[in-house]
């Protein structure tokens, strides 16, 4: 069973919130139950941006200092990483788009 990094992040964040704010535990659990309401396109886009930023930082720390080459290399590395790491999110996006286009096709007929 694969656990989404978004789920882990939200759990950690909500755990901290519940520890600091009295009575926030119920709200935190409600938000975790509504995790499926997050639009898959937003999750996928945020994941791609995060991978790009991480690749940019790692390449910079490895000594790549030319800004143009740094951005191009980070784009290539993050693209390859997203192809491997974000297949589940990509499938969710395509399912959502397919479902939306099917519903639009039925209403247009």
């Amino acid at each position: 069973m694969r656990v989404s990094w978004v789920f882990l992040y939200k759990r950690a964040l909500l755990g901290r919130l519940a520890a600091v704010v009295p009575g926030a535990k119920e709200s935190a659990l409600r938000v975790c139950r509504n995790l499926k309401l997050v639009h898959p396109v937003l999750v996928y886009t945020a994941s791609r941006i995060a991978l790009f930023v991480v690749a940019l930082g790692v390449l910079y720390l490895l000594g790549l200092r030319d800004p143009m080459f740094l951005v191009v290399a980070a784009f290539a590395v993050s693209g390859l990483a997203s192809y491997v790491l974000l297949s589940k999110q990509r499938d969710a996006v395509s399912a959502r788009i397919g479902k939306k286009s099917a519903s639009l096709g039925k209403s247009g007929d």
Side-chain angles (χ1 to χ4, degrees):
M1 178 178 153
R2 284 177 26 179
V3 177
S4 167
W5 67 269
V6 173
F7 178 76
L8 293 176
Y9 173 75
K10 284 192 176 191
R11 273 295 221 202
L13 185 65
L14 294 174
R16 286 186 188 169
L17 177 68
V20 173
V21 179
K25 186 172 184 174
E26 294 80 22
S27 303
L29 292 174
R30 207 172 322 126
V31 169
C32 284
R33 279 187 224 115
N34 293 331
L35 186 62
K36 290 193 177 224
L37 297 178
V38 176
H39 201 285
V41 175
L42 295 177
V43 172
Y44 181 70
T45 303
S47 301
R48 285 291 308 260
I49 291 170
L51 278 174
F52 176 74
V53 170
V54 167
L56 195 70
V58 167
L59 290 173
Y60 184 80
L61 290 175
L62 288 176
L64 199 59
R65 302 286 188 225
D66 181 29
M68 184 64 160
F69 191 64
L70 177 65
V71 169
V72 170
F75 183 73
V77 169
S78 68
L80 290 172
S82 71
Y83 182 74
V84 174
L85 298 174
L86 300 180
S87 63
K88 183 178 176 184
Q89 286 85 1
R90 196 170 37 255
D91 291 343
V93 168
S94 65
R96 177 80 174 231
I97 290 172
K99 191 184 302 182
K100 188 73 169 175
S101 66
S103 68
L104 288 176
K106 288 181 181 180
S107 66
D109 290 340

